[in-house]
Coordinates of all heavy atoms in Angstrom, one line a residue:
M1060 N 21.3 13.1 9.4 CA 20.2 13.2 8.3 C 20.4 12.0 7.4 O 21.5 11.7 6.9 CB 20.4 14.5 7.6 CG 19.5 14.7 6.4 SD 17.8 15.0 6.7 CE 17.9 16.5 7.6
H1061 N 19.3 11.3 7.1 CA 19.3 10.2 6.2 C 19.1 10.8 4.8 O 18.6 11.9 4.6 CB 18.2 9.2 6.5 CG 18.4 8.6 7.9 ND1 19.4 7.8 8.2 CD2 17.6 8.7 9.0 CE1 19.3 7.4 9.5 NE2 18.2 8.0 10.0
E1062 N 19.4 10.0 3.8 CA 19.3 10.4 2.4 C 17.8 10.3 1.9 O 17.4 10.9 1.0 CB 20.2 9.5 1.5 CG 20.4 10.1 0.2 CD 21.5 9.4 -0.6 OE1 22.3 8.6 0.0 OE2 21.6 9.6 -1.8
L1063 N 17.0 9.5 2.6 CA 15.6 9.3 2.3 C 14.7 9.7 3.4 O 14.9 9.3 4.6 CB 15.4 7.8 1.9 CG 13.9 7.4 1.6 CD1 13.4 8.1 0.4 CD2 13.8 5.9 1.5
S1064 N 13.7 10.4 3.1 CA 12.6 10.7 4.1 C 11.3 10.2 3.5 O 11.0 10.4 2.4 CB 12.5 12.2 4.4 OG 13.6 12.7 5.0
V1065 N 10.5 9.5 4.4 CA 9.2 9.0 4.0 C 8.2 9.9 4.8 O 8.2 9.9 6.0 CB 9.0 7.5 4.3 CG1 7.6 7.1 4.0 CG2 10.1 6.7 3.6
F1066 N 7.3 10.5 4.0 CA 6.3 11.3 4.6 C 5.0 10.6 4.6 O 4.6 10.0 3.6 CB 6.1 12.7 3.8 CG 7.1 13.7 4.1 CD1 8.3 13.6 3.4 CD2 7.0 14.7 5.0 CE1 9.3 14.5 3.6 CE2 8.0 15.6 5.2 CZ 9.1 15.5 4.5
L1067 N 4.3 10.5 5.8 CA 3.0 9.9 5.9 C 2.0 11.0 6.1 O 2.0 11.7 7.1 CB 3.0 8.9 7.1 CG 1.6 8.4 7.4 CD1 0.9 7.6 6.3 CD2 1.7 7.5 8.7
M1068 N 1.2 11.3 5.1 CA 0.2 12.3 5.1 C -1.1 11.7 5.7 O -1.5 10.6 5.2 CB -0.1 12.9 3.8 CG 1.1 13.6 3.2 SD 0.9 14.1 1.5 CE -0.4 15.4 1.8
C1069 N -1.7 12.3 6.7 CA -3.0 11.7 7.2 C -4.0 12.8 7.5 O -3.6 14.0 7.8 CB -2.7 10.8 8.4 SG -1.7 11.5 9.7
H1070 N -5.2 12.4 7.5 CA -6.3 13.4 7.7 C -7.5 12.6 8.3 O -8.2 11.8 7.6 CB -6.7 14.1 6.4 CG -7.8 15.1 6.6 ND1 -7.7 16.3 7.2 CD2 -9.2 15.0 6.3 CE1 -8.8 16.9 7.2 NE2 -9.8 16.1 6.7
N1071 N -7.8 12.8 9.6 CA -9.0 12.2 10.2 C -9.1 10.7 10.1 O -10.3 10.2 10.1 CB -10.3 12.9 9.7 CG -10.4 14.3 10.0 OD1 -9.7 14.8 10.9 ND2 -11.2 15.1 9.3
R1072 N -8.1 10.0 10.1 CA -8.1 8.5 10.1 C -6.9 8.0 11.0 O -6.0 7.5 10.5 CB -8.0 8.0 8.7 CG -9.1 8.4 7.8 CD -9.2 7.5 6.6 NE -10.1 8.0 5.6 CZ -11.4 7.9 5.6 NH1 -12.0 7.3 6.7 NH2 -12.2 8.3 4.7
P1073 N -7.1 8.2 12.3 CA -6.0 7.9 13.2 C -5.6 6.4 13.2 O -4.4 6.0 13.3 CB -6.4 8.4 14.6 CG -7.9 8.4 14.5 CD -8.2 8.8 13.0
V1074 N -6.6 5.5 13.1 CA -6.3 4.1 13.1 C -5.6 3.7 11.9 O -4.5 3.0 12.0 CB -7.7 3.3 13.3 CG1 -7.4 1.8 13.1 CG2 -8.3 3.5 14.6
E1075 N -6.0 4.1 10.7 CA -5.4 3.8 9.5 C -4.0 4.4 9.4 O -3.0 3.8 8.9 CB -6.2 4.3 8.3 CG -7.5 3.5 8.1 CD -8.6 4.0 8.9 OE1 -8.4 4.9 9.8 OE2 -9.8 3.5 8.8
A1076 N -3.8 5.6 10.0 CA -2.5 6.3 10.0 C -1.5 5.5 10.9 O -0.4 5.3 10.5 CB -2.6 7.7 10.5
T1077 N -2.0 5.0 12.0 CA -1.1 4.2 12.9 C -0.7 2.9 12.2 O 0.4 2.5 12.3 CB -1.9 3.9 14.2 OG1 -2.2 5.1 14.8 CG2 -1.0 3.0 15.1
I1078 N -1.7 2.2 11.5 CA -1.3 1.0 10.7 C -0.3 1.3 9.7 O 0.7 0.6 9.5 CB -2.6 0.4 10.1 CG1 -3.5 -0.2 11.3 CG2 -2.3 -0.7 9.1 CD1 -4.9 -0.5 10.8
A1079 N -0.5 2.4 8.9 CA 0.4 2.8 7.9 C 1.8 3.1 8.4 O 2.8 2.7 7.9 CB -0.1 4.0 7.1
Y1080 N 1.9 3.8 9.6 CA 3.1 4.1 10.2 C 3.9 2.8 10.6 O 5.1 2.7 10.3 CB 2.9 5.0 11.4 CG 4.2 5.2 12.2 CD1 5.2 6.0 11.8 CD2 4.4 4.5 13.4 CE1 6.4 6.2 12.5 CE2 5.5 4.6 14.2 CZ 6.5 5.5 13.7 OH 7.7 5.6 14.4
K1081 N 3.2 1.9 11.2 CA 3.8 0.6 11.6 C 4.3 -0.1 10.4 O 5.4 -0.8 10.4 CB 2.9 -0.2 12.4 CG 2.6 0.3 13.8 CD 1.6 -0.5 14.5 CE 1.3 0.1 15.9 NZ 0.3 -0.7 16.6
S1082 N 3.6 -0.1 9.3 CA 4.0 -0.8 8.0 C 5.3 -0.1 7.5 O 6.2 -0.8 7.1 CB 2.9 -0.7 7.0 OG 3.3 -1.3 5.8
I1083 N 5.3 1.2 7.4 CA 6.5 1.9 7.0 C 7.7 1.6 7.9 O 8.8 1.3 7.4 CB 6.3 3.4 6.9 CG1 5.2 3.8 5.9 CG2 7.6 4.2 6.6 CD1 4.7 5.2 6.1
K1084 N 7.5 1.5 9.2 CA 8.5 1.3 10.1 C 9.1 -0.1 9.9 O 10.3 -0.3 10.1 CB 7.9 1.3 11.5 CG 8.9 1.5 12.6 CD 9.5 2.9 12.6 CE 10.4 3.0 13.8 NZ 11.4 4.1 13.7
N1085 N 8.4 -1.1 9.4 CA 8.8 -2.4 9.2 C 9.5 -2.6 7.9 O 10.0 -3.7 7.6 CB 7.7 -3.4 9.3 CG 7.2 -3.5 10.7 OD1 8.0 -3.5 11.7 ND2 5.9 -3.7 10.9
Q1086 N 9.6 -1.6 7.0 CA 10.2 -1.7 5.7 C 11.7 -1.7 5.9 O 12.3 -1.1 6.8 CB 9.8 -0.6 4.8 CG 8.3 -0.5 4.5 CD 7.8 -1.8 3.9 OE1 8.4 -2.2 2.9 NE2 6.8 -2.3 4.4
T1087 N 12.4 -2.3 4.9 CA 13.9 -2.3 4.9 C 14.4 -1.9 3.5 O 13.7 -2.1 2.5 CB 14.5 -3.6 5.3 OG1 14.0 -4.6 4.3 CG2 14.1 -4.0 6.7
L1088 N 15.5 -1.2 3.5 CA 16.1 -0.8 2.2 C 17.5 -1.3 2.3 O 18.5 -0.6 2.2 CB 16.1 0.7 2.1 CG 14.7 1.3 2.0 CD1 14.8 2.8 2.0 CD2 14.0 0.9 0.7
G1089 N 17.7 -2.6 2.4 CA 19.0 -3.2 2.5 C 19.5 -2.7 3.9 O 18.9 -2.8 4.9
K1090 N 20.7 -2.0 3.9 CA 21.2 -1.5 5.1 C 20.9 0.0 5.2 O 21.3 0.6 6.2 CB 22.7 -1.7 5.1 CG 23.0 -3.2 5.2 CD 24.5 -3.5 5.4 CE 24.7 -5.0 5.3 NZ 25.8 -5.4 6.1
S1091 N 20.2 0.6 4.3 CA 19.9 2.0 4.4 C 18.8 2.3 5.4 O 18.0 1.5 5.7 CB 19.3 2.5 3.0 OG 20.3 2.3 2.0
K1092 N 18.9 3.5 5.9 CA 17.9 3.9 6.9 C 17.2 5.1 6.3 O 17.7 5.8 5.4 CB 18.6 4.3 8.2 CG 19.2 3.1 8.9 CD 19.7 3.4 10.3 CE 20.2 2.1 10.9 NZ 20.5 2.3 12.3
F1093 N 16.1 5.4 6.9 CA 15.3 6.5 6.4 C 14.5 7.2 7.6 O 14.3 6.5 8.6 CB 14.3 6.1 5.3 CG 13.4 5.0 5.7 CD1 12.2 5.2 6.2 CD2 13.8 3.7 5.4 CE1 11.3 4.2 6.6 CE2 12.9 2.6 5.7 CZ 11.7 2.9 6.3
N1094 N 14.2 8.4 7.4 CA 13.4 9.2 8.4 C 11.9 9.0 8.0 O 11.6 8.9 6.8 CB 13.7 10.7 8.3 CG 15.1 11.0 8.7 OD1 15.7 10.3 9.5 ND2 15.6 12.1 8.2
I1095 N 11.1 9.0 9.0 CA 9.6 9.0 8.8 C 9.1 10.3 9.4 O 9.4 10.6 10.6 CB 8.9 7.8 9.4 CG1 9.5 6.5 8.9 CG2 7.4 7.9 9.2 CD1 8.9 5.2 9.6
I1096 N 8.4 11.0 8.6 CA 7.8 12.2 9.1 C 6.2 12.1 8.9 O 5.8 11.9 7.8 CB 8.3 13.5 8.3 CG1 9.7 13.7 8.5 CG2 7.5 14.7 8.8 CD1 10.6 13.1 7.4
I1097 N 5.5 12.2 10.0 CA 4.1 12.1 9.9 C 3.5 13.5 9.9 O 3.7 14.2 10.8 CB 3.5 11.3 11.2 CG1 4.1 9.9 11.2 CG2 2.0 11.3 11.1 CD1 4.0 9.2 12.5
S1098 N 2.8 13.8 8.8 CA 2.2 15.1 8.7 C 0.7 14.9 8.9 O -0.1 14.5 8.0 CB 2.5 15.7 7.3 OG 1.9 17.0 7.2
D1099 N 0.2 15.2 10.1 CA -1.2 15.0 10.5 C -2.0 16.3 10.3 O -1.8 17.3 11.0 CB -1.2 14.6 12.0 CG -2.6 14.2 12.4 OD1 -3.6 14.4 11.7 OD2 -2.7 13.6 13.5
N1100 N -2.8 16.2 9.3 CA -3.6 17.3 8.9 C -5.1 17.2 9.3 O -6.0 17.7 8.7 CB -3.5 17.5 7.3 CG -4.0 18.8 6.8 OD1 -3.8 19.8 7.5 ND2 -4.6 18.8 5.7
S1101 N -5.3 16.5 10.4 CA -6.6 16.2 10.9 C -7.3 17.4 11.4 O -6.7 18.3 12.0 CB -6.6 15.2 12.0 OG -6.1 13.9 11.5
S1102 N -8.6 17.5 11.1 CA -9.5 18.6 11.5 C -10.1 18.3 12.8 O -10.7 19.1 13.5 CB -10.5 19.0 10.5 OG -11.3 17.9 10.2
T1103 N -10.1 17.0 13.3 CA -10.6 16.6 14.5 C -9.5 16.5 15.6 O -8.3 16.6 15.2 CB -11.3 15.2 14.4 OG1 -10.3 14.2 14.0 CG2 -12.4 15.2 13.3
C1104 N -9.9 16.2 16.8 CA -8.9 16.2 17.9 C -8.2 14.8 17.9 O -7.3 14.5 18.6 CB -9.5 16.5 19.2 SG -10.8 15.4 19.7
D1105 N -8.8 13.8 17.1 CA -8.3 12.5 17.1 C -7.1 12.3 16.1 O -7.4 11.9 15.0 CB -9.4 11.4 16.8 CG -10.4 11.4 17.9 OD1 -10.2 11.9 19.0 OD2 -11.6 11.0 17.5
G1106 N -5.9 12.5 16.6 CA -4.8 12.3 15.7 C -4.2 10.9 15.9 O -4.7 10.1 16.7
I1107 N -3.1 10.7 15.3 CA -2.4 9.4 15.4 C -1.9 9.3 16.9 O -1.6 10.3 17.5 CB -1.2 9.2 14.4 CG1 -0.6 7.8 14.4 CG2 -0.1 10.3 14.7 CD1 0.3 7.6 13.3
D1108 N -1.9 8.0 17.4 CA -1.4 7.8 18.8 C 0.1 8.1 18.9 O 0.9 7.4 18.3 CB -1.6 6.4 19.2 CG -1.2 6.0 20.6 OD1 -0.8 6.9 21.3 OD2 -1.2 4.8 20.9
K1109 N 0.5 9.2 19.5 CA 1.9 9.7 19.6 C 2.8 8.7 20.4 O 4.0 8.7 20.2 CB 1.9 11.0 20.2 CG 1.4 12.1 19.3 CD 0.7 13.2 20.1 CE -0.4 13.8 19.3 NZ -1.7 13.1 19.2
N1110 N 2.2 7.8 21.2 CA 3.0 6.8 21.9 C 3.5 5.7 20.9 O 4.4 5.0 21.2 CB 2.2 6.1 23.0 CG 1.8 7.1 24.1 OD1 2.6 7.9 24.4 ND2 0.6 6.9 24.6
T1111 N 3.0 5.7 19.7 CA 3.4 4.7 18.7 C 4.7 5.2 18.0 O 5.4 4.3 17.6 CB 2.3 4.6 17.6 OG1 1.1 4.3 18.2 CG2 2.6 3.5 16.6
I1112 N 4.9 6.5 18.0 CA 6.0 7.0 17.2 C 7.3 6.8 18.0 O 7.4 7.0 19.2 CB 5.8 8.5 17.0 CG1 4.5 8.7 16.3 CG2 7.0 9.1 16.3 CD1 4.0 10.1 16.3
S1113 N 8.3 6.2 17.3 CA 9.6 5.9 18.0 C 10.8 6.4 17.3 O 10.7 6.9 16.2 CB 9.6 4.3 18.0 OG 9.7 3.8 16.7
G1114 N 11.9 6.3 18.0 CA 13.2 6.7 17.4 C 13.2 8.2 17.0 O 12.7 9.0 17.7
N1115 N 13.8 8.4 15.9 CA 14.0 9.8 15.4 C 12.9 10.2 14.5 O 13.0 11.2 13.8 CB 15.4 9.9 14.7 CG 16.5 9.8 15.6 OD1 16.4 10.2 16.8 ND2 17.6 9.2 15.1
D1116 N 11.8 9.5 14.5 CA 10.7 9.8 13.6 C 10.0 11.1 14.1 O 10.1 11.4 15.3 CB 9.7 8.7 13.6 CG 10.3 7.4 13.0 OD1 11.3 7.5 12.2 OD2 9.8 6.3 13.3
T1117 N 9.4 11.8 13.2 CA 8.8 13.2 13.6 C 7.3 13.2 13.4 O 6.8 12.6 12.4 CB 9.5 14.2 12.6 OG1 10.9 14.2 12.8 CG2 9.0 15.6 13.0
Y1118 N 6.6 13.8 14.3 CA 5.2 13.9 14.2 C 4.9 15.4 14.1 O 5.3 16.2 15.0 CB 4.5 13.3 15.4 CG 3.0 13.6 15.4 CD1 2.1 12.8 14.7 CD2 2.4 14.6 16.2 CE1 0.7 13.0 14.7 CE2 1.1 14.9 16.2 CZ 0.2 14.1 15.4 OH -1.1 14.3 15.5
I1119 N 4.2 15.9 13.1 CA 3.8 17.3 12.9 C 2.3 17.3 12.8 O 1.7 16.7 11.9 CB 4.4 17.9 11.6 CG1 5.9 17.7 11.6 CG2 4.0 19.3 11.5 CD1 6.6 18.1 10.3
R1120 N 1.7 18.1 13.7 CA 0.2 18.3 13.7 C 0.0 19.6 13.1 O 0.5 20.7 13.6 CB -0.3 18.2 15.1 CG -1.8 18.5 15.2 CD -2.6 17.4 14.6 NE -4.0 17.6 14.6 CZ -4.9 16.9 15.3 NH1 -4.5 16.0 16.1 NH2 -6.2 17.2 15.2
R1121 N -0.7 19.7 12.0 CA -1.0 20.9 11.3 C -2.3 21.5 11.9 O -3.3 20.9 12.0 CB -1.4 20.6 9.8 CG -0.3 19.9 9.0 CD 1.0 20.6 8.9 NE 2.0 19.7 8.3 CZ 3.2 20.1 8.1 NH1 3.6 21.3 8.4 NH2 4.1 19.3 7.5
N1122 N -2.1 22.7 12.5 CA -3.2 23.4 13.1 C -3.1 24.9 12.8 O -2.1 25.5 13.2 CB -3.1 23.2 14.6 CG -4.3 23.6 15.4 OD1 -5.3 24.0 14.8 ND2 -4.3 23.5 16.7
P1123 N -4.0 25.4 12.1 CA -5.3 24.7 11.6 C -4.9 23.8 10.5 O -3.9 23.9 9.9 CB -6.1 25.9 11.2 CG -5.2 27.0 10.8 CD -4.0 26.8 11.7
S1124 N -5.9 22.9 10.2 CA -5.6 22.0 9.1 C -5.6 22.7 7.8 O -6.2 23.8 7.6 CB -6.7 20.9 9.1 OG -8.0 21.4 8.9
L1125 N -4.9 22.2 6.8 CA -4.7 22.8 5.5 C -5.5 22.1 4.4 O -5.8 20.9 4.6 CB -3.2 22.7 5.1 CG -2.2 23.2 6.2 CD1 -0.8 22.8 5.8 CD2 -2.3 24.7 6.4
D1126 N -5.8 22.8 3.3 CA -6.4 22.1 2.2 C -5.3 21.2 1.6 O -4.2 21.4 1.9 CB -7.0 23.1 1.2 CG -5.9 24.0 0.5 OD1 -5.3 23.5 -0.5 OD2 -5.6 25.1 1.0
V1127 N -5.8 20.3 0.8 CA -4.9 19.2 0.3 C -3.7 19.8 -0.5 O -2.5 19.3 -0.3 CB -5.6 18.1 -0.5 CG1 -6.2 18.7 -1.8 CG2 -4.8 16.9 -0.7
I1128 N -3.9 20.7 -1.3 CA -2.8 21.3 -2.1 C -1.8 22.0 -1.2 O -0.6 21.8 -1.4 CB -3.3 22.2 -3.2 CG1 -4.3 21.5 -4.2 CG2 -2.2 22.9 -4.0 CD1 -3.7 20.4 -4.9
T1129 N -2.3 22.8 -0.3 CA -1.4 23.5 0.6 C -0.6 22.5 1.5 O 0.5 22.7 1.8 CB -2.2 24.5 1.5 OG1 -3.0 25.4 0.6 CG2 -1.3 25.3 2.4
H1130 N -1.3 21.4 1.9 CA -0.6 20.4 2.7 C 0.6 19.8 1.9 O 1.7 19.7 2.4 CB -1.6 19.3 3.1 CG -1.1 18.4 4.1 ND1 -1.7 17.1 4.3 CD2 -0.1 18.4 5.0 CE1 -1.1 16.5 5.2 NE2 -0.1 17.2 5.7
H1131 N 0.3 19.5 0.6 CA 1.4 18.9 -0.2 C 2.6 19.9 -0.3 O 3.7 19.6 -0.2 CB 0.9 18.6 -1.6 CG 0.2 17.3 -1.7 ND1 -1.1 17.1 -1.6 CD2 0.7 16.0 -2.0 CE1 -1.5 15.9 -1.7 NE2 -0.4 15.2 -2.0
R1132 N 2.2 21.2 -0.6 CA 3.3 22.2 -0.8 C 4.0 22.4 0.5 O 5.3 22.6 0.5 CB 2.6 23.5 -1.3 CG 2.1 23.4 -2.7 CD 1.5 24.7 -3.1 NE 1.1 24.6 -4.5 CZ 0.2 25.3 -5.1 NH1 -0.5 26.2 -4.4 NH2 -0.1 25.2 -6.4
K1133 N 3.4 22.4 1.6 CA 4.0 22.6 2.9 C 5.0 21.5 3.1 O 6.2 21.7 3.5 CB 3.0 22.6 4.0 CG 3.5 22.9 5.4 CD 4.0 24.2 5.5 CE 4.5 24.6 6.9 NZ 5.2 25.8 7.0
I1134 N 4.6 20.2 2.9 CA 5.6 19.1 3.0 C 6.8 19.3 2.1 O 7.9 19.1 2.5 CB 4.8 17.8 2.8 CG1 3.9 17.5 3.9 CG2 5.8 16.6 2.5 CD1 3.0 16.3 3.7
I1135 N 6.5 19.6 0.9 CA 7.6 19.7 -0.1 C 8.6 20.8 0.4 O 9.8 20.7 0.3 CB 7.1 20.0 -1.5 CG1 6.5 18.8 -2.0 CG2 8.2 20.5 -2.4 CD1 5.7 19.0 -3.3
S1136 N 8.1 21.9 1.0 CA 8.9 23.0 1.5 C 9.8 22.5 2.7 O 10.7 23.2 3.0 CB 8.1 24.2 1.9 OG 7.4 24.0 3.1
E1137 N 9.3 21.4 3.4 CA 10.0 21.0 4.6 C 11.0 19.9 4.3 O 11.7 19.4 5.3 CB 9.0 20.5 5.6 CG 8.1 21.6 6.1 CD 6.9 21.1 7.0 OE1 6.6 19.9 6.9 OE2 6.4 22.0 7.7
V1138 N 11.1 19.4 3.1 CA 12.0 18.3 2.8 C 13.5 18.7 3.0 O 13.9 19.8 2.5 CB 11.8 17.8 1.3 CG1 12.9 16.8 0.9 CG2 10.4 17.2 1.1
K1139 N 14.2 17.9 3.7 CA 15.6 18.2 4.0 C 16.6 17.1 3.4 O 17.8 17.3 3.4 CB 15.9 18.4 5.5 CG 15.1 19.6 6.0 CD 15.4 19.8 7.5 CE 14.6 21.0 8.0 NZ 14.0 20.9 9.2
S1140 N 16.0 16.0 3.0 CA 16.8 14.9 2.5 C 16.9 15.0 1.0 O 16.2 15.7 0.4 CB 16.1 13.6 3.0 OG 14.8 13.5 2.5
R1141 N 17.8 14.2 0.5 CA 18.0 14.2 -0.9 C 16.7 13.6 -1.6 O 16.3 14.0 -2.7 CB 19.2 13.3 -1.3 CG 19.5 13.3 -2.7 CD 20.9 12.7 -3.0 NE 21.2 12.6 -4.4 CZ 22.2 12.0 -4.9 NH1 23.1 11.4 -4.1 NH2 22.4 12.1 -6.2
Y1142 N 16.1 12.5 -1.1 CA 15.0 11.9 -1.7 C 13.8 11.9 -0.7 O 14.1 11.8 0.5 CB 15.3 10.4 -2.1 CG 16.5 10.3 -3.0 CD1 17.7 9.9 -2.5 CD2 16.3 10.6 -4.3 CE1 18.8 9.8 -3.4 CE2 17.4 10.5 -5.2 CZ 18.6 10.1 -4.7 OH 19.7 10.0 -5.6
F1143 N 12.6 11.9 -1.2 CA 11.5 11.8 -0.3 C 10.3 11.1 -1.1 O 10.3 11.0 -2.3 CB 11.0 13.1 0.2 CG 10.4 14.1 -0.8 CD1 9.0 14.2 -0.9 CD2 11.2 14.8 -1.7 CE1 8.5 15.0 -1.9 CE2 10.7 15.7 -2.6 CZ 9.3 15.8 -2.7

């Protein structure tokens, strides 16, 4: 478990979510490592391309999709790292 988790929240924008994921993946924190958790709250069948996800990163598809406040609360309840 890393000390930092980065959550990528997305909803019905698979292309933008994939671009954002790749951007997060290219970040560095010195020698620190971090987990990336993609929380896909899309109401359509077009989610992020799962072939893009690598390493120990996590993809969670919310089904059924949640309202924005519930989505935030759900993510907060799932945090396991010290920082997020």
Side-chain angles (χ1 to χ4, degrees):
M1060 172 73 61
H1061 298 296
E1062 197 167 346
L1063 172 66
S1064 294
V1065 176
F1066 284 83
L1067 171 59
M1068 299 174 66
C1069 50
H1070 179 79
N1071 293 345
R1072 299 198 188 281
V1074 172
E1075 291 83 353
T1077 301
I1078 292 168
Y1080 172 75
K1081 289 177 181 179
S1082 177
I1083 295 167
K1084 198 73 177 162
N1085 288 326
Q1086 300 301 308
T1087 59
L1088 297 171
K1090 296 185 182 210
S1091 299
K1092 294 189 178 191
F1093 54 91
N1094 296 332
I1095 301 173
I1096 299 98
I1097 301 162
S1098 183
D1099 188 348
N1100 196 35
S1101 297
S1102 58
T1103 64
C1104 61
D1105 296 338
I1107 191 170
D1108 180 8
K1109 287 144 211 80
N1110 294 323
T1111 306
I1112 302 166
S1113 64
N1115 293 326
D1116 300 334
T1117 304
Y1118 175 82
I1119 303 169
R1120 178 68 184 248
R1121 307 295 176 179
N1122 191 6
S1124 62
L1125 309 169
D1126 65 84
V1127 68
I1128 300 299
T1129 305
H1130 190 199
H1131 278 93
R1132 288 181 179 155
K1133 183 68 174 169
I1134 287 171
I1135 290 169
S1136 75
E1137 295 171 343
V1138 172
K1139 295 180 181 141
S1140 58
R1141 184 173 179 185
Y1142 303 104
F1143 69 100

